[in-house]
Amino acid sequence: MKLSSCVVCWLPLLLASCALYTPKPVDLSRDTAEWQQLSARLCDGNTPLTLTKLHEIGLLLNPELNQARLSYARSTAVAEFAGLWNDPAISAEVRQVRELDVTNRGVGLSLALPVTGLPGLAEKVAECYKQEDYAAMQAKERAYLVQLDTLRFSVMSTHAKLHLMQARVKQLAEEQNQARRMHELGEMEFADFQVICRRLNDGQKELQEMEQEHLQGHLQMVKLLGLHPDQRTVELAGHLPAAIPAPVEQPDTALLMQHPALKAAMAAHDTSEAELQREIRKQYPELEVGPGFEHDGGDSKVGVGIGLSLPLWNRNKEGIAQASATRDIKEYDAVQTWRDLVQSSVALGDMQKLLLEHCKAEQERVERLSAAEKQQEKLYAIGETKLPAVADARQEAYLRRLNFIDCLTKLLSTQMELQYLNPEFIAK
């Protein structure tokens, strides 16, 4: 029984090469401490975050991106070992013939020969999943940067409007005090006094709402970056541009075809193609070869057994149907992704044109009303006009400034999305 002795010798070595389970419990206390330390190291509370720093922190800590990277690491590990042949199976048999006091022994080896090429297809499928996860990771990073930059413009807009509102509420409070004194002296009608009081109340309410929006924007930014909430007071560097930015070029068809989102959808379709090929190949029979040794009544016998599965009615029809349907879905997803990119490019291009016109019109209104406000201030200073007139001029100029900030923010966000449709664009 040389074969059985060999098996006994090699068995401890085979077992020693097996993977061992190592427990890895979730330690939330340790994770929280590490999270706080890493956030504090990446984010100095006294230094405003620049765009480059925002991208650096976000790409490092964002939970969804890290989950996508873990998926890619998993598919990479699977692809490394995919396509291995099934291990051979060894069987041993001992039979005792009591009447003759004879012991018969036998050892058999079963080895599946993948004549259908399934291991090669399994390796191909695993590689496709790896490429799909990599493309999906890149697409998520691109989409994340769009989301982060959009939120950045929103926070910067909130800052600008908050400063305007604070200054305006202070100005309205002074107007109300002046109006009260004038009304008590009989120099102002009650209706005009009521208008000024109502403006102050409305301004205070709007300021409260803006302060809530400001806090919410910072909380969203900290969450989106993946920072610990301790860093929620961090500020952003930079301000909204004072001038209207130049138009951004709309990406052409060739550039859109290189977009990460489309590459991810095409990679998913390639994976479904490989899966369908594997399921179709499974309907063909596999060949099994089994050499064996038998000691029977003092005689030693060596033989070879051959096994072949017969696909009479199964033929893996269920697996083929599922894989075929999945391929159709992935094909539809890829086509729809392309159509969405084309539609987004056209829609963003048209919106940019419209917002450029609106910004220019609003800027002209701001300049005109600011000039009228200054004129009223001069007349009021020399007593040529009354407080209600200068208050109206201040209010109109203030409202137009707020509207220009909103219009400019929409334009900047639209141009930023349009730029990110170009796969060669890198924000700076």
Side-chain angles (χ1 to χ4, degrees), residues 4 55 59 68 98 105 109 143 149 153-154 160 187-188 204 216 228 232 247 264 304 309 381 412 418-419:
S4 57
H55 288 185
L59 292 174
R98 294 183 179 179
R105 299 176 296 274
L109 178 67
D149 287 6
F153 282 133
S154 177
E187 297 178 0
M188 177 178 289
Q204 290 172 337
Q216 189 64 32
H228 190 275
R232 62 189 178 277
V304 177
S309 59
L412 293 172
L418 194 58
Q419 287 175 312

PDB file of all heavy atoms in Angstrom, residues 4 55 59 68 98 105 109 143 149 153-154 160 187-188 204 216 228 232 247 264 304 309 381 412 418-419:
ATOM      1  N   SER A   4      -1.275   4.608  -0.211  1.00  0.00           N
ATOM      2  CA  SER A   4      -1.903   5.045   1.041  1.00  0.00           C
ATOM      3  C   SER A   4      -0.853   5.587   2.002  1.00  0.00           C
ATOM      4  O   SER A   4      -1.092   6.535   2.738  1.00  0.00           O
ATOM      5  CB  SER A   4      -2.681   3.881   1.672  1.00  0.00           C
ATOM      6  OG  SER A   4      -1.831   2.787   1.889  1.00  0.00           O
ATOM      7  N   HIS A  55     -10.483  67.928  -1.667  1.00  0.00           N
ATOM      8  CA  HIS A  55     -10.407  66.717  -2.478  1.00  0.00           C
ATOM      9  C   HIS A  55      -9.528  65.661  -1.808  1.00  0.00           C
ATOM     10  O   HIS A  55      -9.842  64.463  -1.830  1.00  0.00           O
ATOM     11  CB  HIS A  55      -9.868  67.053  -3.862  1.00  0.00           C
ATOM     12  CG  HIS A  55     -10.848  67.788  -4.716  1.00  0.00           C
ATOM     13  ND1 HIS A  55     -10.607  68.113  -6.037  1.00  0.00           N
ATOM     14  CD2 HIS A  55     -12.087  68.256  -4.451  1.00  0.00           C
ATOM     15  CE1 HIS A  55     -11.626  68.744  -6.540  1.00  0.00           C
ATOM     16  NE2 HIS A  55     -12.556  68.850  -5.602  1.00  0.00           N
ATOM     17  N   LEU A  59     -11.422  62.218  -0.816  1.00  0.00           N
ATOM     18  CA  LEU A  59     -11.045  60.988  -1.511  1.00  0.00           C
ATOM     19  C   LEU A  59     -10.429  59.962  -0.558  1.00  0.00           C
ATOM     20  O   LEU A  59     -10.440  58.766  -0.837  1.00  0.00           O
ATOM     21  CB  LEU A  59     -10.062  61.299  -2.640  1.00  0.00           C
ATOM     22  CG  LEU A  59     -10.633  62.101  -3.821  1.00  0.00           C
ATOM     23  CD1 LEU A  59      -9.528  62.457  -4.802  1.00  0.00           C
ATOM     24  CD2 LEU A  59     -11.733  61.321  -4.523  1.00  0.00           C
ATOM     25  N   ALA A  68     -16.272  51.194  -2.078  1.00  0.00           N
ATOM     26  CA  ALA A  68     -15.979  50.806  -3.464  1.00  0.00           C
ATOM     27  C   ALA A  68     -14.561  50.248  -3.585  1.00  0.00           C
ATOM     28  O   ALA A  68     -14.322  49.293  -4.337  1.00  0.00           O
ATOM     29  CB  ALA A  68     -16.158  52.010  -4.391  1.00  0.00           C
ATOM     30  N   ARG A  98     -14.878 -13.082   5.402  1.00  0.00           N
ATOM     31  CA  ARG A  98     -14.730 -13.861   6.615  1.00  0.00           C
ATOM     32  C   ARG A  98     -14.530 -15.350   6.343  1.00  0.00           C
ATOM     33  O   ARG A  98     -13.756 -16.023   7.021  1.00  0.00           O
ATOM     34  CB  ARG A  98     -15.947 -13.664   7.505  1.00  0.00           C
ATOM     35  CG  ARG A  98     -16.069 -12.231   8.025  1.00  0.00           C
ATOM     36  CD  ARG A  98     -17.238 -12.091   8.950  1.00  0.00           C
ATOM     37  NE  ARG A  98     -17.340 -10.710   9.468  1.00  0.00           N
ATOM     38  CZ  ARG A  98     -18.287 -10.294  10.301  1.00  0.00           C
ATOM     39  NH1 ARG A  98     -19.226 -11.157  10.698  1.00  0.00           N
ATOM     40  NH2 ARG A  98     -18.301  -9.055  10.719  1.00  0.00           N
ATOM     41  N   ARG A 105      -8.093  -4.806  -0.271  1.00  0.00           N
ATOM     42  CA  ARG A 105      -7.880  -3.379  -0.102  1.00  0.00           C
ATOM     43  C   ARG A 105      -7.802  -2.685  -1.472  1.00  0.00           C
ATOM     44  O   ARG A 105      -7.320  -3.279  -2.435  1.00  0.00           O
ATOM     45  CB  ARG A 105      -6.588  -3.109   0.663  1.00  0.00           C
ATOM     46  CG  ARG A 105      -6.578  -3.693   2.081  1.00  0.00           C
ATOM     47  CD  ARG A 105      -5.244  -3.486   2.762  1.00  0.00           C
ATOM     48  NE  ARG A 105      -4.164  -4.188   2.096  1.00  0.00           N
ATOM     49  CZ  ARG A 105      -3.848  -5.466   2.349  1.00  0.00           C
ATOM     50  NH1 ARG A 105      -4.537  -6.168   3.238  1.00  0.00           N
ATOM     51  NH2 ARG A 105      -2.851  -6.047   1.710  1.00  0.00           N
ATOM     52  N   LEU A 109      -8.340   7.142  -7.200  1.00  0.00           N
ATOM     53  CA  LEU A 109      -8.090   8.569  -7.397  1.00  0.00           C
ATOM     54  C   LEU A 109      -9.042   9.094  -8.470  1.00  0.00           C
ATOM     55  O   LEU A 109      -9.130   8.511  -9.558  1.00  0.00           O
ATOM     56  CB  LEU A 109      -6.646   8.811  -7.820  1.00  0.00           C
ATOM     57  CG  LEU A 109      -6.258  10.274  -8.105  1.00  0.00           C
ATOM     58  CD1 LEU A 109      -6.307  11.093  -6.816  1.00  0.00           C
ATOM     59  CD2 LEU A 109      -4.860  10.342  -8.721  1.00  0.00           C
ATOM     60  N   ALA A 143     -18.088  61.083  -9.619  1.00  0.00           N
ATOM     61  CA  ALA A 143     -19.384  61.585  -9.161  1.00  0.00           C
ATOM     62  C   ALA A 143     -19.263  62.236  -7.787  1.00  0.00           C
ATOM     63  O   ALA A 143     -19.955  63.219  -7.487  1.00  0.00           O
ATOM     64  CB  ALA A 143     -20.396  60.443  -9.110  1.00  0.00           C
ATOM     65  N   ASP A 149     -17.846  69.427  -4.919  1.00  0.00           N
ATOM     66  CA  ASP A 149     -17.659  70.788  -5.429  1.00  0.00           C
ATOM     67  C   ASP A 149     -18.976  71.568  -5.450  1.00  0.00           C
ATOM     68  O   ASP A 149     -18.997  72.787  -5.223  1.00  0.00           O
ATOM     69  CB  ASP A 149     -17.053  70.746  -6.828  1.00  0.00           C
ATOM     70  CG  ASP A 149     -15.586  70.337  -6.801  1.00  0.00           C
ATOM     71  OD1 ASP A 149     -15.102  69.993  -5.714  1.00  0.00           O
ATOM     72  OD2 ASP A 149     -14.932  70.352  -7.855  1.00  0.00           O
ATOM     73  N   PHE A 153     -19.667  75.147  -3.433  1.00  0.00           N
ATOM     74  CA  PHE A 153     -20.240  76.392  -3.946  1.00  0.00           C
ATOM     75  C   PHE A 153     -21.459  76.808  -3.128  1.00  0.00           C
ATOM     76  O   PHE A 153     -21.682  78.002  -2.884  1.00  0.00           O
ATOM     77  CB  PHE A 153     -20.639  76.230  -5.416  1.00  0.00           C
ATOM     78  CG  PHE A 153     -19.478  76.298  -6.369  1.00  0.00           C
ATOM     79  CD1 PHE A 153     -19.326  75.370  -7.380  1.00  0.00           C
ATOM     80  CD2 PHE A 153     -18.545  77.311  -6.264  1.00  0.00           C
ATOM     81  CE1 PHE A 153     -18.261  75.435  -8.261  1.00  0.00           C
ATOM     82  CE2 PHE A 153     -17.464  77.394  -7.141  1.00  0.00           C
ATOM     83  CZ  PHE A 153     -17.329  76.446  -8.143  1.00  0.00           C
ATOM     84  N   SER A 154     -22.247  75.825  -2.704  1.00  0.00           N
ATOM     85  CA  SER A 154     -23.428  76.129  -1.892  1.00  0.00           C
ATOM     86  C   SER A 154     -23.033  76.756  -0.559  1.00  0.00           C
ATOM     87  O   SER A 154     -23.649  77.741  -0.110  1.00  0.00           O
ATOM     88  CB  SER A 154     -24.238  74.853  -1.660  1.00  0.00           C
ATOM     89  OG  SER A 154     -25.341  75.099  -0.822  1.00  0.00           O
ATOM     90  N   ALA A 160     -21.626  84.143   1.734  1.00  0.00           N
ATOM     91  CA  ALA A 160     -21.769  85.478   1.137  1.00  0.00           C
ATOM     92  C   ALA A 160     -23.120  86.093   1.511  1.00  0.00           C
ATOM     93  O   ALA A 160     -23.192  87.277   1.883  1.00  0.00           O
ATOM     94  CB  ALA A 160     -21.626  85.376  -0.382  1.00  0.00           C
ATOM     95  N   GLU A 187     -42.936 113.375  12.307  1.00  0.00           N
ATOM     96  CA  GLU A 187     -42.293 113.635  11.010  1.00  0.00           C
ATOM     97  C   GLU A 187     -42.401 112.461  10.036  1.00  0.00           C
ATOM     98  O   GLU A 187     -41.867 112.539   8.935  1.00  0.00           O
ATOM     99  CB  GLU A 187     -40.817 113.968  11.244  1.00  0.00           C
ATOM    100  CG  GLU A 187     -40.615 115.224  12.066  1.00  0.00           C
ATOM    101  CD  GLU A 187     -39.153 115.505  12.314  1.00  0.00           C
ATOM    102  OE1 GLU A 187     -38.319 114.690  11.817  1.00  0.00           O
ATOM    103  OE2 GLU A 187     -38.818 116.510  12.973  1.00  0.00           O
ATOM    104  N   MET A 188     -43.067 111.356  10.459  1.00  0.00           N
ATOM    105  CA  MET A 188     -43.212 110.182   9.592  1.00  0.00           C
ATOM    106  C   MET A 188     -44.600 109.604   9.784  1.00  0.00           C
ATOM    107  O   MET A 188     -45.093 109.485  10.913  1.00  0.00           O
ATOM    108  CB  MET A 188     -42.145 109.124   9.892  1.00  0.00           C
ATOM    109  CG  MET A 188     -42.287 107.846   9.072  1.00  0.00           C
ATOM    110  SD  MET A 188     -40.995 106.638   9.409  1.00  0.00           S
ATOM    111  CE  MET A 188     -39.594 107.453   8.660  1.00  0.00           C
ATOM    112  N   GLN A 204     -34.801  89.707  10.010  1.00  0.00           N
ATOM    113  CA  GLN A 204     -34.358  88.859  11.117  1.00  0.00           C
ATOM    114  C   GLN A 204     -34.751  87.398  10.894  1.00  0.00           C
ATOM    115  O   GLN A 204     -33.979  86.487  11.204  1.00  0.00           O
ATOM    116  CB  GLN A 204     -34.955  89.385  12.430  1.00  0.00           C
ATOM    117  CG  GLN A 204     -34.356  90.716  12.879  1.00  0.00           C
ATOM    118  CD  GLN A 204     -35.096  91.309  14.052  1.00  0.00           C
ATOM    119  OE1 GLN A 204     -36.270  91.015  14.297  1.00  0.00           O
ATOM    120  NE2 GLN A 204     -34.413  92.173  14.812  1.00  0.00           N
ATOM    121  N   GLN A 216     -26.325  73.723   8.527  1.00  0.00           N
ATOM    122  CA  GLN A 216     -26.623  72.490   7.812  1.00  0.00           C
ATOM    123  C   GLN A 216     -25.597  72.218   6.716  1.00  0.00           C
ATOM    124  O   GLN A 216     -25.185  71.070   6.508  1.00  0.00           O
ATOM    125  CB  GLN A 216     -28.028  72.564   7.210  1.00  0.00           C
ATOM    126  CG  GLN A 216     -28.538  71.257   6.620  1.00  0.00           C
ATOM    127  CD  GLN A 216     -28.700  70.172   7.648  1.00  0.00           C
ATOM    128  OE1 GLN A 216     -29.009  70.440   8.800  1.00  0.00           O
ATOM    129  NE2 GLN A 216     -28.487  68.936   7.249  1.00  0.00           N
ATOM    130  N   HIS A 228     -14.712  63.460  11.385  1.00  0.00           N
ATOM    131  CA  HIS A 228     -15.433  63.337  12.650  1.00  0.00           C
ATOM    132  C   HIS A 228     -16.203  64.637  12.901  1.00  0.00           C
ATOM    133  O   HIS A 228     -15.726  65.724  12.545  1.00  0.00           O
ATOM    134  CB  HIS A 228     -14.451  63.064  13.798  1.00  0.00           C
ATOM    135  CG  HIS A 228     -15.117  62.683  15.074  1.00  0.00           C
ATOM    136  ND1 HIS A 228     -15.580  63.618  15.974  1.00  0.00           N
ATOM    137  CD2 HIS A 228     -15.421  61.457  15.600  1.00  0.00           C
ATOM    138  CE1 HIS A 228     -16.126  63.001  17.009  1.00  0.00           C
ATOM    139  NE2 HIS A 228     -16.045  61.695  16.817  1.00  0.00           N
ATOM    140  N   ARG A 232     -16.686  70.085  12.677  1.00  0.00           N
ATOM    141  CA  ARG A 232     -17.808  70.737  11.994  1.00  0.00           C
ATOM    142  C   ARG A 232     -17.669  72.259  11.918  1.00  0.00           C
ATOM    143  O   ARG A 232     -18.394  72.910  11.153  1.00  0.00           O
ATOM    144  CB  ARG A 232     -19.127  70.383  12.672  1.00  0.00           C
ATOM    145  CG  ARG A 232     -19.226  70.836  14.115  1.00  0.00           C
ATOM    146  CD  ARG A 232     -20.473  70.272  14.791  1.00  0.00           C
ATOM    147  NE  ARG A 232     -20.574  70.651  16.194  1.00  0.00           N
ATOM    148  CZ  ARG A 232     -19.963  70.029  17.190  1.00  0.00           C
ATOM    149  NH1 ARG A 232     -19.181  68.986  16.913  1.00  0.00           N
ATOM    150  NH2 ARG A 232     -20.113  70.407  18.433  1.00  0.00           N
ATOM    151  N   PRO A 247     -17.450  81.368 -20.349  1.00  0.00           N
ATOM    152  CA  PRO A 247     -18.160  80.117 -20.664  1.00  0.00           C
ATOM    153  C   PRO A 247     -17.211  78.921 -20.678  1.00  0.00           C
ATOM    154  O   PRO A 247     -16.030  79.040 -21.012  1.00  0.00           O
ATOM    155  CB  PRO A 247     -18.736  80.384 -22.056  1.00  0.00           C
ATOM    156  CG  PRO A 247     -18.744  81.865 -22.209  1.00  0.00           C
ATOM    157  CD  PRO A 247     -17.585  82.371 -21.406  1.00  0.00           C
ATOM    158  N   ALA A 264     -17.655  52.280 -16.723  1.00  0.00           N
ATOM    159  CA  ALA A 264     -18.149  51.351 -15.700  1.00  0.00           C
ATOM    160  C   ALA A 264     -19.321  50.547 -16.230  1.00  0.00           C
ATOM    161  O   ALA A 264     -19.410  49.327 -15.994  1.00  0.00           O
ATOM    162  CB  ALA A 264     -18.548  52.126 -14.450  1.00  0.00           C
ATOM    163  N   VAL A 304      -8.133   1.933 -14.582  1.00  0.00           N
ATOM    164  CA  VAL A 304      -8.481   3.322 -14.853  1.00  0.00           C
ATOM    165  C   VAL A 304      -9.968   3.391 -15.128  1.00  0.00           C
ATOM    166  O   VAL A 304     -10.477   2.646 -15.968  1.00  0.00           O
ATOM    167  CB  VAL A 304      -7.698   3.886 -16.056  1.00  0.00           C
ATOM    168  CG1 VAL A 304      -8.139   5.324 -16.345  1.00  0.00           C
ATOM    169  CG2 VAL A 304      -6.202   3.840 -15.804  1.00  0.00           C
ATOM    170  N   SER A 309     -20.587  12.962 -17.569  1.00  0.00           N
ATOM    171  CA  SER A 309     -21.973  13.340 -17.296  1.00  0.00           C
ATOM    172  C   SER A 309     -22.739  13.453 -18.612  1.00  0.00           C
ATOM    173  O   SER A 309     -22.196  13.868 -19.635  1.00  0.00           O
ATOM    174  CB  SER A 309     -22.022  14.672 -16.550  1.00  0.00           C
ATOM    175  OG  SER A 309     -21.406  15.686 -17.327  1.00  0.00           O
ATOM    176  N   ALA A 381     -28.366 112.705   3.137  1.00  0.00           N
ATOM    177  CA  ALA A 381     -27.366 113.349   3.996  1.00  0.00           C
ATOM    178  C   ALA A 381     -27.509 114.865   4.001  1.00  0.00           C
ATOM    179  O   ALA A 381     -27.207 115.527   5.011  1.00  0.00           O
ATOM    180  CB  ALA A 381     -25.961 112.960   3.555  1.00  0.00           C
ATOM    181  N   LEU A 412     -21.959  78.737 -11.506  1.00  0.00           N
ATOM    182  CA  LEU A 412     -20.714  78.064 -11.147  1.00  0.00           C
ATOM    183  C   LEU A 412     -20.927  76.554 -11.010  1.00  0.00           C
ATOM    184  O   LEU A 412     -20.094  75.762 -11.452  1.00  0.00           O
ATOM    185  CB  LEU A 412     -20.171  78.643  -9.840  1.00  0.00           C
ATOM    186  CG  LEU A 412     -19.685  80.094  -9.893  1.00  0.00           C
ATOM    187  CD1 LEU A 412     -19.372  80.598  -8.496  1.00  0.00           C
ATOM    188  CD2 LEU A 412     -18.469  80.228 -10.795  1.00  0.00           C
ATOM    189  N   LEU A 418     -20.442  70.633 -16.010  1.00  0.00           N
ATOM    190  CA  LEU A 418     -20.089  70.537 -17.425  1.00  0.00           C
ATOM    191  C   LEU A 418     -18.612  70.196 -17.588  1.00  0.00           C
ATOM    192  O   LEU A 418     -18.234  69.392 -18.456  1.00  0.00           O
ATOM    193  CB  LEU A 418     -20.415  71.864 -18.117  1.00  0.00           C
ATOM    194  CG  LEU A 418     -20.433  71.877 -19.652  1.00  0.00           C
ATOM    195  CD1 LEU A 418     -21.440  70.874 -20.178  1.00  0.00           C
ATOM    196  CD2 LEU A 418     -20.776  73.279 -20.151  1.00  0.00           C
ATOM    197  N   GLN A 419     -17.768  70.767 -16.766  1.00  0.00           N
ATOM    198  CA  GLN A 419     -16.336  70.464 -16.830  1.00  0.00           C
ATOM    199  C   GLN A 419     -16.052  69.010 -16.455  1.00  0.00           C
ATOM    200  O   GLN A 419     -15.217  68.346 -17.062  1.00  0.00           O
ATOM    201  CB  GLN A 419     -15.567  71.404 -15.909  1.00  0.00           C
ATOM    202  CG  GLN A 419     -15.462  72.824 -16.427  1.00  0.00           C
ATOM    203  CD  GLN A 419     -14.803  73.758 -15.422  1.00  0.00           C
ATOM    204  OE1 GLN A 419     -15.153  73.767 -14.246  1.00  0.00           O
ATOM    205  NE2 GLN A 419     -13.861  74.559 -15.872  1.00  0.00           N
TER     206      GLN A 419
END
